[in-house]
Protein backbone atom coordinates (compact mmCIF):
# COMPACT_ATOMS: atom_id res chain seq x y z
CA UNK A 1 0.00 0.00 0.00
CA UNK A 2 2.78 2.41 0.96
CA UNK A 3 4.55 1.94 -2.36
CA UNK A 4 1.45 3.14 -4.20
CA UNK A 5 1.36 6.45 -2.32
CA UNK A 6 3.08 9.64 -3.36
CA UNK A 7 5.94 10.94 -1.18
CA UNK A 8 6.22 12.13 1.51
CA UNK A 9 4.09 9.62 3.42
CA UNK A 10 2.37 10.40 6.70
CA UNK A 11 2.05 7.61 9.30
CA UNK A 12 -0.21 8.32 12.22
CA UNK A 13 -0.74 6.22 15.35
CA UNK A 14 -4.49 5.65 15.51
CA UNK A 15 -4.59 5.77 19.32
CA UNK A 16 -3.73 8.54 21.76
CA UNK A 17 -0.04 9.47 21.66
CA UNK A 18 0.03 12.86 23.42
CA UNK A 19 0.21 14.71 20.11
CA UNK A 20 3.45 12.93 19.19
CA UNK A 21 2.23 9.92 17.19
CA UNK A 22 2.89 11.18 13.66
CA UNK A 23 5.90 10.34 11.49
CA UNK A 24 6.52 11.89 8.08
CA UNK A 25 8.74 9.78 5.81
CA UNK A 26 10.50 11.18 2.75
CA UNK A 27 11.30 7.79 1.16
CA UNK A 28 9.53 4.43 0.77
CA UNK A 29 12.34 2.71 2.73
CA UNK A 30 11.92 5.10 5.67
CA UNK A 31 8.14 4.74 5.54
CA UNK A 32 8.43 0.93 5.72
CA UNK A 33 10.94 1.07 8.56
CA UNK A 34 8.74 3.53 10.47
CA UNK A 35 5.64 1.44 9.88
CA UNK A 36 7.44 -1.63 11.24
CA UNK A 37 8.61 0.37 14.26
CA UNK A 38 5.05 1.50 14.95
CA UNK A 39 3.21 -1.79 14.33
CA UNK A 40 5.75 -4.39 15.42
CA UNK A 41 8.17 -2.64 17.76
CA UNK A 42 5.29 -0.72 19.40
CA UNK A 43 7.04 2.65 19.03
CA UNK A 44 4.01 4.43 20.49
CA UNK A 45 2.85 1.46 22.58
CA UNK A 46 -0.75 0.36 22.12
CA UNK A 47 -1.51 3.66 20.32
CA UNK A 48 0.36 2.48 17.21
CA UNK A 49 -1.10 -1.04 17.11
CA UNK A 50 -3.21 0.46 14.34
CA UNK A 51 -1.71 3.00 11.93
CA UNK A 52 -3.37 5.44 9.54
CA UNK A 53 -1.49 6.11 6.29
CA UNK A 54 -2.33 9.54 4.92
CA UNK A 55 -1.48 11.89 2.07
CA UNK A 56 0.87 14.72 2.97
CA UNK A 57 -0.82 18.12 2.92
CA UNK A 58 1.19 21.26 2.33
CA UNK A 59 -0.32 24.23 4.13
CA UNK A 60 -0.80 25.96 7.47
CA UNK A 61 -2.48 24.16 10.34
CA UNK A 62 -5.13 25.57 12.63
CA UNK A 63 -7.57 24.29 15.21
CA UNK A 64 -11.29 24.95 15.05
CA UNK A 65 -13.53 24.33 18.04
CA UNK A 66 -17.21 23.51 18.04
CA UNK A 67 -19.61 23.17 20.95
CA UNK A 68 -22.51 20.92 20.08
CA UNK A 69 -25.56 19.74 21.97
CA UNK A 70 -25.96 16.91 19.46
CA UNK A 71 -28.44 18.88 17.36
CA UNK A 72 -27.16 22.43 17.06
CA UNK A 73 -23.69 23.83 17.34
CA UNK A 74 -21.78 27.01 18.09
CA UNK A 75 -18.38 27.87 16.66
CA UNK A 76 -15.83 28.90 19.27
CA UNK A 77 -12.78 31.03 18.42
CA UNK A 78 -10.21 29.27 16.25
CA UNK A 79 -6.55 29.02 17.22
CA UNK A 80 -3.15 28.19 15.78
CA UNK A 81 -0.80 26.13 17.92
CA UNK A 82 2.93 25.51 17.57
CA UNK A 83 3.77 21.83 17.83
CA UNK A 84 7.52 21.57 17.33
CA UNK A 85 9.91 22.06 20.25
CA UNK A 86 12.27 24.44 18.45
CA UNK A 87 11.97 27.92 16.98
CA UNK A 88 11.07 28.06 13.29
CA UNK A 89 9.19 24.76 13.73
CA UNK A 90 12.28 22.61 14.19
CA UNK A 91 12.86 19.47 16.26
CA UNK A 92 10.41 16.86 17.48
CA UNK A 93 6.68 17.31 17.94
CA UNK A 94 5.30 18.20 21.36
CA UNK A 95 1.79 18.48 22.74
CA UNK A 96 2.01 22.22 21.89
CA UNK A 97 4.43 25.03 22.71
CA UNK A 98 2.20 28.06 22.24
CA UNK A 99 -0.95 29.30 20.54
CA UNK A 100 -2.60 32.40 19.09
CA UNK A 101 -6.27 33.26 18.57
CA UNK A 102 -7.77 34.59 16.32
CA UNK A 103 -5.85 33.30 13.30
CA UNK A 104 -5.50 36.03 10.63
CA UNK A 105 -5.57 33.65 7.65
CA UNK A 106 -8.83 32.12 8.90
CA UNK A 107 -10.89 34.92 7.42
CA UNK A 108 -14.69 34.92 7.03
CA UNK A 109 -14.45 33.20 3.65
CA UNK A 110 -12.28 30.37 4.96
CA UNK A 111 -14.37 29.89 8.10
CA UNK A 112 -17.52 29.71 5.98
CA UNK A 113 -15.93 26.86 4.01
CA UNK A 114 -15.01 25.17 7.28
CA UNK A 115 -18.56 25.49 8.55
CA UNK A 116 -20.27 24.31 5.36
CA UNK A 117 -17.86 21.59 4.28
CA UNK A 118 -16.75 20.22 7.63
CA UNK A 119 -18.68 21.35 10.70
CA UNK A 120 -22.21 20.92 9.35
CA UNK A 121 -21.56 17.45 7.82
CA UNK A 122 -19.84 16.41 11.05
CA UNK A 123 -22.84 17.36 13.19
CA UNK A 124 -25.18 15.78 10.64
CA UNK A 125 -23.03 12.63 10.75
CA UNK A 126 -23.45 12.41 14.52
CA UNK A 127 -27.21 12.77 14.12
CA UNK A 128 -27.38 10.21 11.30
CA UNK A 129 -25.49 7.70 13.42
CA UNK A 130 -27.59 8.46 16.51
CA UNK A 131 -24.56 9.55 18.50
CA UNK A 132 -25.86 11.66 21.37
CA UNK A 133 -22.67 13.65 21.74
CA UNK A 134 -22.81 16.87 23.73
CA UNK A 135 -19.60 18.77 24.21
CA UNK A 136 -16.55 20.09 22.43
CA UNK A 137 -15.30 18.93 19.06
CA UNK A 138 -11.76 19.92 18.17
CA UNK A 139 -11.13 19.86 14.43
CA UNK A 140 -7.49 19.98 13.40
CA UNK A 141 -7.40 21.51 9.91
CA UNK A 142 -4.93 22.34 7.23
CA UNK A 143 -5.44 25.43 5.10
CA UNK A 144 -4.29 24.21 1.68
CA UNK A 145 -4.37 27.19 -0.71
CA UNK A 146 -7.52 28.54 0.92
CA UNK A 147 -9.32 25.19 1.23
CA UNK A 148 -9.74 23.41 4.57
CA UNK A 149 -8.70 19.74 4.95
CA UNK A 150 -9.34 17.74 8.13
CA UNK A 151 -6.24 16.39 9.86
CA UNK A 152 -7.90 15.05 13.00
CA UNK A 153 -10.89 15.19 15.30
CA UNK A 154 -10.72 15.21 19.07
CA UNK A 155 -13.65 15.15 21.46
CA UNK A 156 -12.10 17.64 23.85
CA UNK A 157 -10.57 21.09 23.82
CA UNK A 158 -6.87 21.52 22.98
CA UNK A 159 -3.79 22.26 25.04
CA UNK A 160 -2.49 24.99 24.70
CA UNK A 161 -5.34 26.21 22.45
CA UNK A 162 -7.71 26.32 25.44
CA UNK A 163 -5.47 28.93 27.04
CA UNK A 164 -6.22 31.31 24.13
CA UNK A 165 -9.77 30.24 23.23
CA UNK A 166 -11.30 30.49 26.72
CA UNK A 167 -9.98 34.01 27.45
CA UNK A 168 -11.77 35.14 24.28
CA UNK A 169 -15.14 33.82 25.39
CA UNK A 170 -16.63 36.98 26.83
CA UNK A 171 -19.31 35.34 28.90
CA UNK A 172 -19.63 32.89 31.74
CA UNK A 173 -18.78 29.38 30.51
CA UNK A 174 -21.03 27.52 32.93
CA UNK A 175 -24.44 28.65 31.52
CA UNK A 176 -23.08 27.87 28.06
CA UNK A 177 -22.18 24.32 29.10
CA UNK A 178 -25.53 23.94 30.85
CA UNK A 179 -27.35 24.96 27.66
CA UNK A 180 -25.19 22.47 25.79
CA UNK A 181 -26.06 19.67 28.21
CA UNK A 182 -29.78 20.57 28.06
CA UNK A 183 -29.82 20.85 24.25
CA UNK A 184 -30.66 24.55 24.25
CA UNK A 185 -27.92 25.80 21.93
CA UNK A 186 -30.40 26.66 19.18
CA UNK A 187 -31.60 29.58 21.30
CA UNK A 188 -28.29 31.27 21.85
CA UNK A 189 -25.17 32.90 20.49
CA UNK A 190 -21.78 33.11 22.02
CA UNK A 191 -20.17 36.40 22.94
CA UNK A 192 -16.59 36.53 21.60
CA UNK A 193 -13.96 39.06 22.65
CA UNK A 194 -12.38 40.49 19.44
CA UNK A 195 -8.98 40.96 21.12
CA UNK A 196 -6.05 38.67 20.32
CA UNK A 197 -4.86 36.12 22.86
CA UNK A 198 -1.46 34.46 22.74
CA UNK A 199 0.03 31.86 25.01
CA UNK A 200 3.60 30.67 25.50
CA UNK A 201 4.26 27.27 27.08
CA UNK A 202 7.18 27.00 29.50
CA UNK A 203 8.64 23.49 29.55
CA UNK A 204 11.24 21.45 31.39
CA UNK A 205 14.68 21.07 29.81
CA UNK A 206 14.76 17.92 27.67
CA UNK A 207 11.02 17.84 26.89
CA UNK A 208 9.57 16.16 24.78
CA UNK A 209 12.29 13.61 25.60
CA UNK A 210 13.38 12.76 29.15
CA UNK A 211 13.29 15.67 31.55
CA UNK A 212 13.93 16.30 35.22
CA UNK A 213 11.21 17.18 37.71
CA UNK A 214 11.11 18.79 41.15
CA UNK A 215 12.75 22.08 40.13
CA UNK A 216 11.62 25.04 42.22
CA UNK A 217 9.56 27.59 40.27
CA UNK A 218 9.88 31.23 41.23
CA UNK A 219 8.37 34.46 39.94
CA UNK A 220 4.79 33.51 39.11
CA UNK A 221 3.41 36.15 41.46
CA UNK A 222 5.46 38.80 39.60
CA UNK A 223 3.67 38.13 36.30
CA UNK A 224 1.56 41.16 35.38
CA UNK A 225 -0.78 41.74 32.42
CA UNK A 226 -0.88 38.02 31.70
CA UNK A 227 -2.54 34.94 33.07
CA UNK A 228 -0.57 31.90 34.21
CA UNK A 229 -2.10 28.45 33.67
CA UNK A 230 -0.32 25.74 35.63
CA UNK A 231 -0.19 22.18 34.33
CA UNK A 232 2.97 20.26 35.29
CA UNK A 233 3.39 21.75 38.77
CA UNK A 234 3.01 20.58 42.36
CA UNK A 235 3.39 22.02 45.83
CA UNK A 236 5.78 20.28 48.18
CA UNK A 237 6.89 21.64 51.55
CA UNK A 238 5.34 24.99 50.64
CA UNK A 239 7.39 25.25 47.46
CA UNK A 240 6.05 25.25 43.92
CA UNK A 241 7.91 22.60 41.92
CA UNK A 242 7.89 21.35 38.34
CA UNK A 243 6.24 17.96 37.93
CA UNK A 244 5.83 17.56 34.17
CA UNK A 245 7.20 18.38 30.73
CA UNK A 246 4.85 21.22 29.88
CA UNK A 247 4.91 23.08 33.16
CA UNK A 248 2.82 26.20 32.62
CA UNK A 249 1.41 28.50 29.95
CA UNK A 250 1.34 32.29 30.03
CA UNK A 251 -1.49 34.01 28.17
CA UNK A 252 -1.42 37.66 27.19
CA UNK A 253 -4.21 39.65 25.57
CA UNK A 254 -3.82 42.60 23.20
CA UNK A 255 -5.44 44.66 20.49
CA UNK A 256 -2.89 43.21 18.07
CA UNK A 257 -0.92 39.96 17.90
CA UNK A 258 2.23 41.89 18.80
CA UNK A 259 0.63 43.39 21.89
CA UNK A 260 -0.65 40.00 23.05
CA UNK A 261 2.79 38.44 22.48
CA UNK A 262 4.52 41.27 24.33
CA UNK A 263 2.33 40.55 27.35
CA UNK A 264 2.93 36.78 27.18
CA UNK A 265 6.69 37.12 26.82
CA UNK A 266 6.95 39.82 29.50
CA UNK A 267 5.25 37.31 31.80
CA UNK A 268 7.57 34.47 30.71
CA UNK A 269 10.62 36.61 31.58
CA UNK A 270 9.43 36.86 35.18
CA UNK A 271 9.28 33.10 35.75
CA UNK A 272 12.36 31.02 36.47
CA UNK A 273 13.47 27.48 37.29
CA UNK A 274 16.55 25.43 36.56
CA UNK A 275 16.29 24.24 32.95
CA UNK A 276 13.29 26.36 31.92
CA UNK A 277 12.79 26.49 28.13
CA UNK A 278 10.26 28.13 25.82
CA UNK A 279 10.00 29.01 22.16
CA UNK A 280 10.86 32.61 21.34
CA UNK A 281 8.98 32.77 18.02
CA UNK A 282 5.33 32.05 18.88
CA UNK A 283 3.13 34.10 16.51
CA UNK A 284 6.02 35.41 14.40
CA UNK A 285 4.76 33.64 11.25
CA UNK A 286 1.36 35.29 11.71
CA UNK A 287 2.95 38.72 12.08
CA UNK A 288 4.69 38.21 8.75
CA UNK A 289 1.44 37.37 6.95
N1 LIG B 1 -2.43 21.17 20.89
C1 LIG B 1 -2.91 20.02 20.26
C2 LIG B 1 -3.87 19.23 21.02
O1 LIG B 1 -4.34 19.61 22.09
O2 LIG B 1 -4.20 18.14 20.57
Amino acid sequence: FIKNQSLPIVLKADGLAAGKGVIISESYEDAEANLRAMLIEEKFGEASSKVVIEEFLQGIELSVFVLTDGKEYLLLPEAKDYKRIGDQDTGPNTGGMGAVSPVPFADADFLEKVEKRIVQPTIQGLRDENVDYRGFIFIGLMNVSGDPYVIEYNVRMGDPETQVVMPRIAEDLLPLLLDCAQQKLSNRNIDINPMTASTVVLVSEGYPGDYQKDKEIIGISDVEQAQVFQAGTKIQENKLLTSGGRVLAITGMGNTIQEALDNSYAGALKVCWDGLYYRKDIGQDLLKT
Side-chain angles (χ1 to χ4, degrees):
F1 182 79
I2 279 182
K3 281 180 180 148
N4 289 328
Q5 306 307 305
S6 55
L7 290 169
I9 291 170
V10 181
L11 302 176
K12 190 185 274 184
D14 194 48
L16 287 176
K20 296 176 223 160
V22 180
I23 304 180
I24 298 165
S25 306
E26 303 287 344
S27 70
Y28 294 108
E29 293 70 31
D30 278 358
E32 263 193 54
N34 286 325
L35 185 61
R36 274 177 205 285
M38 290 170 90
L39 286 175
I40 297 166
E41 291 149 30
E42 301 181 347
K43 185 174 172 80
F44 299 110
E46 180 58 27
S48 64
S49 61
K50 195 167 157 191
V51 173
V52 181
I53 302 173
E54 290 184 340
E55 68 182 309
F56 180 84
L57 298 173
Q58 185 79 48
I60 314 180
E61 214 178 318
L62 78 156
S63 311
V64 168
F65 300 91
V66 179
L67 185 67
T68 180
D69 61 11
K71 293 182 174 162
E72 303 297 331
Y73 66 88
L74 292 171
L75 281 186
L76 305 181
E78 77 286 351
K80 179 178 191 299
D81 85 332
Y82 294 79
K83 294 205 166 62
R84 302 293 195 95
I85 187 73
D87 285 4
Q88 273 78 51
D89 291 330
T90 51
N93 263 340
T94 69
M97 294 295 292
V100 174
S101 174
V103 180
F105 63 78
D107 55 17
D109 223 35
F110 180 80
L111 288 176
E112 197 185 315
K113 287 182 192 168
V114 172
E115 199 168 344
K116 291 226 167 84
R117 296 185 197 171
I118 296 164
V119 176
Q120 288 171 1
T122 300
I123 303 299
Q124 191 55 46
L126 290 172
R127 292 167 85 162
D128 292 348
E129 293 185 21
N130 290 319
V131 179
D132 183 15
Y133 178 69
R134 304 177 197 187
F136 296 110
I137 303 178
F138 165 153
I139 310 176
L141 293 175
M142 191 75 100
N143 177 349
V144 182
S145 309
D147 287 314
Y149 284 76
V150 175
I151 304 285
E152 63 172 352
Y153 286 102
N154 292 300
V155 284
R156 57 172 172 82
M157 285 292 293
D159 181 8
E161 290 95 326
T162 307
Q163 294 91 310
V164 291
V165 170
M166 289 299 160
R168 294 195 57 226
I169 297 181
E171 60 182 282
D172 193 351
L173 189 64
L174 189 59
L176 189 64
L177 296 181
L178 199 59
D179 284 348
C180 174
Q182 295 176 343
Q183 295 195 306
K184 290 182 187 159
L185 289 187
S186 60
N187 302 327
R188 60 137 62 230
N189 290 320
I190 178 164
D191 200 5
I192 305 292
N193 182 340
M195 289 177 86
T196 294
S198 67
T199 202
V200 176
V201 178
L202 278 53
V203 305
S204 301
E205 185 178 12
Y207 173 82
D210 292 341
Y211 53 84
Q212 291 187 336
K213 297 182 185 174
D214 300 327
K215 305 288 181 187
E216 185 173 0
I217 303 168
I218 57 171
I220 288 187
S221 55
D222 299 328
V223 174
E224 292 163 352
Q225 320 249 22
Q227 210 173 343
V228 179
F229 294 96
Q230 296 187 36
T233 63
K234 67 177 177 189
I235 291 176
Q236 200 169 295
E237 290 164 10
N238 271 335
K239 286 181 180 166
L240 186 65
L241 305 180
T242 64
S243 72
R246 288 191 294 169
V247 176
L248 48 88
I250 303 190
T251 299
M253 304 289 291
N255 289 313
T256 60
I257 297 177
Q258 188 63 63
E259 210 175 284
L261 290 168
D262 287 348
N263 287 329
S264 291
Y265 279 110
L269 278 177
K270 297 277 172 66
V271 179
C272 191
W273 69 81
D274 180 23
L276 179 159
Y277 169 81
Y278 56 90
R279 273 181 66 162
K280 312 297 182 298
D281 68 336
I282 301 303
Q284 291 303 311
D285 55 335
L286 301 178
L287 287 175
K288 281 182 209 138
T289 57

